[in-house]
């Protein structure tokens, strides 16, 4: 298949020259001006997306570096991996504490001030409440639009893409991390219908990636001593640890974090990685717990007494009867339907937003977020005013529940627009409260019937609508908490009905609220095992495990009937080319050659003229080029694959340029470190525009042999495309050469040839060293 483009390779003193006229015209330079991921839902330009190189590029510099490694290198490398796992855990745990501390305090101040003012005037209270929310949301959208566009949304689709082998520019940068942390504080503290858990996964991934590349060179926060993880493969492992740490920190669910990484975000998993991910999650649990213990004594303002994402509902329904399984399955069906509807509506709205709104620029995005903040504040303040208050339920005084309790400091009932002190407003209890406290109230298993059906339905309709329109605005936003709130509302409604129907059974509405939350998340995100464990960990109630499993299975099955999971749909909408774990059925009947029919392969001769290389790079957007040479009999031989980013290294350094059009000797070996070839994660890296050459330099030659990957993966043209897909997906490849059926076999490797004994291993190493 390497025949599409004519190329002359050096023969005798002939000059390397490409037939330019046959080269395809580029539709735009790939590594163009600085691009990064935009607001959530924006279609990423081709220049903002690039595949990662999980394959080891064994060029000269790599082999040189391998040969020079001392015997202490491997222990140092392993130790550093564990150290980084520890640091990722500590960093993500601290980031989670900081975000929670800030959100809880902002919310606490907001409610304290608002409640103090409404004693005198509801109108002024509403004004102050709205302005407070608006200021926080404005700060968030301003940071995202002006400073860190890639921090918009949850970041989970992009991280899922990264771990699938697609690098989206900007998602793992230092400024994205900063934007994510401060943006989350503004958007969640500002009372929007979104959560901070998804952004924490992104935060963990950013921390992991930055540690992996030894800091941020751009902000002079980097150290070469820790810059050891130079391959995308190592960074992928660290980012996996970061994702697990994010979930572990968000929900204080270490095992849930590990399973989330395994089930939802990674595409490759090994038992060694499992160990490290497990360790990182455990570290997060310790860090978060220590901080919580410290804050419980009141040192952290409003954070500590009630904050953080954990809803301990132990003491609730101890057991369940078989009659309850039917209504519980109904909750699963409702979750599947509402979850799939949520995915579909957010898909339509995101497309609409992208076409009509976000094209108009940052100002429109800021205006949109502020408008949604105003609407959210108005609904959450005004609707509870229309409800009548009820007398506080008769509670067990040892239960720890007080009624009413000032919101923002602890969960429980809110005395809002009530004539007497011993009353509470049920709608305000869930609407005019911090999210964590509202969920704690909905899950509450210690009392009965504290919410009227009317309030729950009002909240469900309004909050569902708000969550749909809020999704996709230019602020950091997670969907876990809105999902839990929506699900627990209809779960509680079903619970109320079941309590009435099965009067004799000991049924808790709070248990149904929990199952509702699980069902909505299952119906929208389509996770099962990880969600199940997260729900058990956050509620601290193992007895409900089989019930949670039941609703998750039902809701996922129902949701899958209609559409894909939320993250997959959003990834596709953004143009992130995710490869599923299995090839499509039709690929079984296709051959490798069918996938590259009519392709004119752009090759480079081994010794190329500098001007020719520049031309190829400027007129093509491809990132990999086969390199060809002439064999002894004058036949054309493919000697490897060269990456665009690797070609730019000698072009920028210029030290390898030569006057002769013949292959160079081995003198070039020491001129480049392997680190020269490493591109920082999620940045655009070097571009052809960074190369400035004089006329004389353009006329020189470059021998590409030292810079290419001499052993790219190759498949015969008649291999089934399904097989190629599995090879590509499982090895995390970026390019595969398709060649005619090979004519000769030089050997055959079986399992036994790969099981080298220790002695023969040493012999081989010694032989290799003597040859090199
Ligand atoms: P990625 O986008 O995954 O980082 P890439 O940039 O090398 O890899 P693209 O240029 O985006 O690949 O590929 C677009 C199309 O061009 C694909 O169909 C691919 O097979 C084809 N292609 C890639 N490299 C070459 C090449 N050197 N010559 C001809 N066609 C190519």
């Amino acid at each position: 298949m390497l025949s599409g483009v004519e190329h002359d390779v050096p023969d005798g003193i002939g000059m390397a020259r490409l037939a330019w006229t046959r080269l395809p015209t580029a539709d735009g330079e790939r590594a163009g001006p600085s691009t990064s991921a935009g607001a959530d839902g924006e279609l990423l330009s081709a220049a903002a997306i690039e595949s990662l190189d999980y394959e080891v590029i064994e060029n000269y510099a790599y082999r040189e570096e391998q040969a020079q490694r001392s015997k202490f290198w491997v222990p140092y490398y392993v130790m550093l991996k564990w150290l980084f796992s520890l640091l990722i855990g500590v960093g993500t745990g601290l980031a989670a504490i900081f975000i929670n501390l800030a959100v809880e305090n902002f919310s606490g101040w907001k409610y304290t001030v608002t409640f103090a003012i409404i004693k005198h005037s509801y109108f002024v209270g509403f004004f102050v409440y709205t302005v407070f929310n608006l200021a926080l949301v404005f700060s968030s959208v301003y940071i995202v639009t002006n400073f860190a566009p890639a921090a918009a949304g949850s970041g989970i689709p992009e991280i899922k893409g990264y771990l699938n082998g697609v690098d989206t520019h900007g998602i793992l940068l230092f400024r994205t991390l900063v934007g994510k942390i401060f943006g989350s504080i503004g958007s969640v503290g500002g009372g929007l219908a979104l959560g901070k858990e998804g952004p924490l996964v992104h935060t963990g991934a950013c921390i992991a990636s930055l540690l992996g590349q030894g800091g941020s060179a751009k902000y002079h926060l980097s150290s070469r001593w820790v810059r050891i993880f130079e391959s995308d493969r190592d960074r992928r492992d660290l980012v996996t640890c970061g994702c697990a740490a994010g979930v572990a920190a968000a929900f204080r669910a270490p095992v849930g974090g590990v399973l989330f990484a395994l089930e939802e975000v990674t595409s490759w998993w090994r038992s060694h990685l499992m160990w490290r991910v497990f360790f990182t999650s455990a570290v997060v649990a310790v860090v978060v717990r220590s901080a919580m213990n410290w804050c419980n004594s009141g040192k952290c303002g409003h954070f500590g007494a009630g904050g953080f994402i954990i809803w301990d509902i132990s003491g609730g329904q101890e057991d369940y009867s078989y009659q309850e399984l039917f209504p519980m399955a109904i909750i699963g069906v409702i979750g599947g339907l509402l979850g799939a509807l949520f995915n579909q509506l957010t898909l339509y709205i995101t497309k609409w937003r992208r076409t009509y709104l976000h094209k108009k620029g940052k100002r429109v995005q800021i205006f949109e977020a502020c408008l949604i903040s105003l609407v959210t504040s108005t609904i959450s303040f005004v609707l509870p005013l229309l409800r009548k208050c009820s007398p506080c339920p008769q509670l067990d005084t040892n239960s720890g529940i007080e009624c009413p309790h000032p919101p923002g400091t602890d969960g429980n009932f809110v005395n809002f627009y009530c004539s007497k002190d011993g009353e509470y407003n049920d709608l305000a209890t869930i609407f005019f409260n911090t999210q964590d406290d509202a969920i704690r109230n909905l899950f509450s298993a210690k009392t009965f019937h504290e919410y009227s059906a009317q309030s729950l339905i009002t909240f469900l309709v309004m909050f569902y609508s708000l969550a749909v329109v809020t999704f996709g605005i230019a602020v950091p936003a997670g969907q876990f908490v809105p999902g839990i709130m929506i699900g627990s509302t209809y779960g509680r409604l079903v619970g109320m009905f079941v309590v009435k129907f099965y009067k004799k059974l000991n049924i808790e509405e709070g248990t149904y609220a929990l199952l509702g939350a699980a069902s909505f998340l299952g119906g929208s995100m389509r996770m099962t095992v990880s969600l199940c464990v997260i729900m058990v960990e956050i509620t601290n109630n193992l007895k409900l495990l089989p019930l949670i499993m039941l609703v998750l299975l039902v809701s996922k099955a129902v949701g899958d009937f209609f559409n894909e999971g939320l993250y997959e749909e959003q990834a596709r909408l953004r143009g992130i080319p995710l490869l599923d774990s299995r090839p499509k059925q039709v690929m079984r009947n296709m051959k490798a050659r069918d996938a590259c029919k009519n392709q004119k392969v752009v090759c480079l001769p081994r010794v190329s003229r500098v001007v020719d290389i520049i031309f190829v790079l400027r007129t093509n957007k491809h990132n990999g080029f086969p390199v060809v040479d002439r064999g002894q009999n004058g036949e054309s031989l493919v000697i490897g694959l060269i990456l665009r980013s690797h070609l730019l290294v000698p072009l920028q350094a210029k030290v390898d340029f030569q006057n002769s059009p013949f292959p160079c000797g081995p003198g070039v070996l020491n001129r480049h470190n392997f680190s020269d070839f490493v591109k920082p994660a999620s940045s655009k890296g070097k571009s052809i525009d960074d190369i400035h050459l004089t006329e004389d330099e353009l006329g020189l030659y470059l021998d590409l042999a030292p810079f290419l990957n001499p052993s790219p993966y190759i498949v015969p043209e008649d291999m089934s495309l399904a097989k190629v897909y599995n090879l590509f997906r499982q090895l995390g490849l970026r390019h595969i050469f398709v060649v005619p059926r090979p004519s000769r076999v030089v050997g055959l490797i079986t399992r036994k040839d790969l099981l080298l004994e220790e002695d023969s291993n040493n012999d081989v190493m010694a032989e290799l060293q003597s040859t090199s």
Side-chain angles (χ1 to χ4, degrees):
M1 297 300 288
L2 298 163
S3 56
V5 167
E6 283 182 11
H7 46 263
D8 297 345
V9 287
D11 53 338
I13 52 170
M15 293 223 303
R17 180 177 56 80
L18 289 165
W20 303 129
T21 47
R22 304 274 302 272
L23 285 170
T25 319
D27 54 7
E29 175 56 43
R30 183 169 195 104
S34 173
T35 46
S36 60
D40 200 29
E42 300 291 286
L43 180 68
L44 296 161
S45 67
I49 294 184
E50 211 172 90
S51 292
L52 292 158
D53 294 295
Y54 288 150
E55 188 190 347
V56 178
I57 306 288
E58 295 171 331
N59 60 16
Y60 277 18
Y62 172 80
R63 279 180 276 158
E64 269 293 293
E65 201 196 63
Q66 291 282 316
Q68 283 168 9
R69 278 176 186 168
S70 74
K71 62 179 176 185
F72 298 112
W73 193 88
V74 173
Y76 176 63
Y77 174 76
V78 173
M79 190 204 73
L80 218 57
K81 272 192 170 180
W82 283 94
L83 177 69
F84 276 27
S85 304
L86 176 90
L87 293 177
I88 293 167
V90 174
T92 312
L94 292 177
I97 290 161
F98 177 69
I99 294 175
N100 274 283
L101 195 128
V103 168
E104 289 289 324
N105 275 300
F106 276 126
S107 305
W109 294 328
K110 178 174 74 186
Y111 284 115
T112 309
V113 170
T114 309
F115 269 84
I117 294 174
I118 56 176
K119 282 187 185 140
H120 310 288
S121 161
Y122 273 85
F123 183 74
V124 180
F126 169 65
F127 180 75
V128 169
Y129 173 73
T130 309
V131 169
F132 212 117
N133 280 339
L134 193 64
L136 284 169
V137 172
F138 178 79
S139 71
S140 174
V141 67
Y142 189 83
I143 290 171
V144 168
T145 48
N146 287 286
F147 176 68
S154 71
I156 294 180
E158 288 81 0
I159 299 299
K160 205 172 152 77
Y162 185 87
L163 295 175
N164 193 261
V166 188
D167 195 2
T168 310
H169 290 172
I171 55 155
L172 295 172
L173 300 182
F174 182 66
R175 66 191 158 112
T176 305
L177 172 65
V178 174
K180 203 90 200 178
I181 292 177
F182 288 96
S184 296
I185 294 170
S187 60
V188 181
L192 292 176
L194 42 80
K196 52 192 175 289
E197 292 66 35
L200 263 172
V201 174
H202 193 175
T203 303
C206 287
I207 291 174
S209 171
L210 287 165
L211 275 172
Q213 64 189 38
S216 168
K218 187 173 175 195
Y219 296 98
H220 307 291
L221 296 169
S222 94
S223 159
R224 83 188 158 85
W225 296 107
V226 286
R227 217 179 302 140
I228 188 168
F229 299 112
E230 308 208 296
S231 75
D232 285 337
R233 186 187 282 249
D234 284 335
R235 287 197 202 140
R236 175 182 77 192
D237 291 354
L238 292 176
V239 169
T240 307
C241 289
C243 291
V247 173
F251 295 105
R252 285 173 72 191
V255 184
V258 176
L259 292 174
F260 174 82
L262 173 64
E263 185 183 6
E264 186 54 28
V265 286
T266 56
S267 299
W268 295 280
W269 192 258
R270 305 184 311 280
S271 50
H272 278 93
L273 181 59
M274 168 78 99
W275 274 103
R276 273 188 290 124
V277 172
F278 197 64
F279 173 64
T280 309
S281 298
V283 172
V284 173
V286 174
V287 171
V288 170
R289 193 189 143 82
S290 312
M292 289 294 293
N293 286 345
W294 193 70
C295 285
N296 266 339
S297 53
K299 288 180 188 134
C300 308
H302 292 275
F303 175 66
F308 232 93
I309 313 104
I310 194 141
W311 305 287
D312 193 336
I313 61 161
S314 55
Q317 192 169 335
E318 292 278 309
D319 207 353
Y320 57 93
S321 64
Y322 291 113
Q323 288 116 297
E324 286 181 76
L325 292 183
F326 180 67
M328 285 171 182
I330 300 276
I331 290 183
V333 174
I334 300 174
L337 292 174
L338 287 184
L341 181 68
F342 183 84
N343 293 2
Q344 209 57 40
L345 290 175
T346 48
L347 195 73
Y348 290 143
I349 292 196
T350 312
K351 276 187 190 162
W352 177 83
R353 228 182 220 130
R354 190 167 77 195
T355 319
Y356 298 106
L357 222 56
H358 287 184
K359 266 187 191 160
K360 297 188 176 147
K362 290 177 194 169
R363 283 190 185 177
V364 174
Q365 292 180 18
I366 294 177
F367 176 75
E368 180 196 25
C370 291
L371 187 68
I372 289 179
S373 166
L374 283 176
V375 172
T376 309
S377 303
T378 308
I379 289 177
S380 60
F381 192 98
V382 174
L383 281 184
L385 294 178
L386 309 176
R387 290 287 311 152
K388 270 194 193 149
C389 290
S390 323
C392 286
Q394 294 303 309
L395 297 168
D396 171 7
T397 44
N398 296 326
S399 69
I401 293 183
E402 295 167 37
C403 174
H405 198 284
T409 52
D410 199 351
N412 312 323
F413 305 93
V414 174
N415 181 285
F416 180 75
Y417 206 52
C418 300
S419 47
K420 291 188 203 132
D421 269 357
E423 289 184 334
Y424 74 101
N425 181 324
D426 64 346
L427 191 55
T429 295
I430 41 180
F431 229 147
F432 196 63
N433 212 338
T434 62
Q435 290 172 342
D436 294 343
D437 288 346
I439 295 173
R440 207 169 284 121
N441 292 333
L442 283 165
F443 281 1
S444 159
K446 293 174 180 166
T447 54
F448 280 0
H449 319 306
E450 52 267 57
Y451 303 102
S452 66
Q454 205 183 350
S455 291
L456 290 177
I457 292 171
T458 311
F459 178 77
L460 178 62
V461 172
M462 296 317 296
F463 196 79
Y464 192 93
S465 314
L466 283 175
V468 168
V469 292
T470 308
F471 184 97
I473 60 172
V475 294
Q479 274 68 54
F480 276 102
V481 162
I484 290 176
M485 292 182 79
I486 292 167
S488 48
T489 313
Y490 66 74
R492 209 165 172 112
L493 272 167
V494 175
M496 286 169 70
F497 180 75
V498 176
V499 168
K500 279 213 176 107
F501 200 72
Y502 299 125
K503 282 202 179 88
K504 286 187 189 142
L505 300 175
N506 173 27
I507 291 170
E508 296 272 4
E509 290 166 16
T511 305
Y512 282 74
L514 169 70
L515 296 178
S519 74
F520 188 82
L521 294 178
S524 170
M525 294 169 188
R526 312 288 157 81
M527 294 184 272
T528 48
V529 184
S530 51
L531 253 181
C532 184
V533 174
I534 290 173
M535 294 310 285
V536 170
E537 284 186 290
I538 59 178
T539 54
N540 209 6
N541 194 338
L542 204 60
K543 288 176 198 129
L544 300 179
L545 186 67
L547 303 180
I548 298 176
M549 288 165 80
L550 171 79
V551 292
L552 277 172
L553 286 171
V554 174
S555 62
K556 179 177 160 54
V558 173
D560 279 345
F561 185 75
F562 294 100
N563 49 28
E564 278 189 300
L566 183 71
Y567 299 133
E568 285 79 14
E569 287 214 333
Q570 290 299 319
R572 254 175 256 294
L573 187 68
R574 305 204 71 194
I576 299 172
L578 288 183
L579 287 183
D580 289 337
S581 54
R582 285 205 277 159
K584 295 211 164 53
Q585 193 65 28
V586 60
M587 290 186 176
R588 290 181 204 283
N589 304 322
M590 291 173 72
K591 301 282 179 220
R593 64 171 164 265
D594 299 327
C596 43
K597 232 182 223 165
N598 307 325
Q599 211 175 61
K600 302 268 183 239
V601 181
V602 184
C603 303
L604 286 168
R606 172 175 172 176
V607 184
S608 299
R609 262 180 73 190
V610 173
V611 64
D612 296 344
I613 300 174
I614 298 282
F615 186 85
V616 168
L617 294 182
R618 282 204 182 278
T619 51
N620 284 284
K621 63 184 176 59
H622 307 314
N623 279 298
F625 304 94
V627 178
V628 289
D629 199 359
R630 280 267 154 87
Q632 282 170 347
N633 304 326
E635 76 280 17
S636 194
L637 285 179
V638 184
I639 57 165
L641 170 109
I642 191 149
L643 292 177
R644 169 183 286 268
S645 58
H646 289 191
L647 263 175
L648 295 175
V649 175
L651 286 178
Q652 196 170 43
K654 302 177 188 178
V655 288
D656 304 290
F657 292 172
Q658 57 186 55
N659 289 314
S660 150
F662 298 112
C664 65
V668 75
L669 293 187
N670 291 322
R671 288 191 191 148
H672 299 281
N673 293 324
F674 185 59
S675 56
D676 296 342
F677 295 91
V678 177
K679 183 175 87 72
S682 97
S683 76
K684 76 184 173 84
K686 281 192 203 96
S687 141
I688 185 69
D689 296 329
D690 302 328
I691 309 292
H692 304 289
L693 299 168
T694 62
E695 291 261 316
D696 290 347
E697 286 164 343
L698 285 172
L700 297 175
Y701 293 86
L702 180 64
D703 184 353
L704 302 180
F707 311 104
L708 52 80
N709 176 8
S711 49
Y713 284 87
I714 296 176
V715 296
E717 60 179 333
D718 48 6
M719 185 187 263
S720 90
L721 196 57
K723 237 173 159 179
V724 178
Y725 184 99
N726 286 330
L727 184 75
F728 196 95
R729 172 70 167 66
Q730 279 160 22
L731 293 178
L733 302 180
R734 190 175 186 184
H735 301 99
I736 290 191
F737 286 175
V738 180
V739 296
R741 184 168 277 281
S743 59
R744 228 161 51 86
V745 180
V746 293
L748 197 141
I749 292 182
T750 68
R751 179 183 293 264
K752 294 178 195 91
D753 304 304
L754 300 174
L755 295 172
L756 294 181
E757 297 298 330
E758 197 52 44
D759 291 349
S760 62
N761 199 2
N762 291 339
D763 294 348
V764 173
M765 287 301 286
E767 198 179 318
L768 283 177
Q769 267 165 9
S770 68
T771 338
S772 70

